[in-house]
Amino acid sequence: MKLVVVSAGLSVPSSTRLLADRLAAAVGRQAEVELEVVELRDLAVEIAHNFTNGFPGRKLAAALEAVTEADGLIAVTPVFTASYSGLFKSFFDVLDKDALAGKPVLIAATGGTARHSLVLEHALRPMFAYLRAVVVPTGVYAASEDWGAEGLEGRVEQAAGELAALMQGLRRAVREEPEALPVVPFAEQLARLAAG
């Protein structure tokens, strides 16, 4: 299975990338995945050019293709002005509108204070719901004080387990009966996938 991580961190080193790496490693411990990381910082100019000329550059085209072909996605952004970063939003704005339909997505964010933790529920989850992605129930937010503190690793493992189970379950369902995927409430799907 192919897992793609989209990291919108701007600094080097980046706490956003650090969280993305922890999430990807946790998924890798629970499922066999081929990992690809998309660093949006490296694509900023091509994303801007795509808006003005309508065509993605070579690196941006490869990143868009990787996200489209992924079996699962981890999307991590720093918090800017109580929401996702403009670069993060711009990348998903240039992505084809159907690219994430039915795709399992784990959302995560980093920020300087715990007061921004609701960015997951008020900004990221609605955006990915609009794109018709299947967002796992547990989002992961890491404030500055969370690094090395109790609780972060548990949230990382919980979210990674949900993403791995969903990726494996969807892959199994498509392999066994590609024409007959049932419409089942998401909570019921997770329960079935967890049961094996």
Side-chain angles (χ1 to χ4, degrees):
M1 292 184 300
K2 183 174 182 181
L3 175 64
V4 173
V5 174
V6 175
S7 173
L10 298 178
S11 59
V12 178
S14 161
S15 61
T16 301
R17 176 61 190 269
L18 178 61
L19 181 58
D21 289 344
R22 284 193 184 185
L23 290 163
V27 173
R29 287 191 292 274
Q30 300 187 44
E32 190 173 321
V33 293
E34 172 192 332
L35 178 66
E36 182 171 344
V37 177
V38 174
E39 282 278 7
L40 297 186
R41 176 185 65 241
D42 300 336
L43 301 173
V45 172
E46 289 191 25
I47 291 170
H49 286 165
N50 191 88
F51 278 114
T52 58
N53 67 23
F55 297 99
R58 184 179 49 81
K59 289 180 184 176
L60 178 58
L64 296 172
E65 182 179 350
V67 169
T68 301
E69 293 178 355
D71 295 301
L73 181 69
I74 296 173
V76 191
T77 182
V79 174
F80 287 177
T81 319
S83 189
Y84 37 65
S85 72
L87 181 59
F88 183 83
K89 177 68 163 61
S90 295
F91 176 77
F92 289 100
D93 283 343
V94 299
L95 187 66
D96 182 88
K97 66 180 180 58
D98 297 321
L100 297 183
K103 192 178 303 293
V105 176
L106 190 167
I107 56 174
T110 57
T113 173
R115 290 181 302 209
H116 291 300
S117 62
L118 287 177
V119 70
L120 296 171
E121 303 307 321
H122 293 282
L124 272 76
R125 195 173 299 277
M127 183 183 87
F128 285 103
Y130 176 79
L131 294 170
R132 299 185 321 252
V134 180
V135 183
V136 301
T138 304
V140 179
Y141 180 81
S144 297
E145 63 266 20
D146 287 327
W147 298 103
E150 238 178 86
L152 180 58
E153 279 309 309
R155 294 193 309 273
V156 165
E157 291 297 328
Q158 175 71 30
E162 292 168 1
L163 181 62
L166 196 53
M167 288 171 65
Q168 291 169 330
L170 287 176
R171 186 158 187 102
R172 189 169 44 245
V174 168
R175 200 172 41 242
E176 291 170 3
E177 295 184 57
E179 307 301 320
L181 290 177
V183 177
V184 179
F186 183 64
E188 189 178 326
Q189 289 178 34
L190 278 179
R192 286 181 185 177
L193 292 172

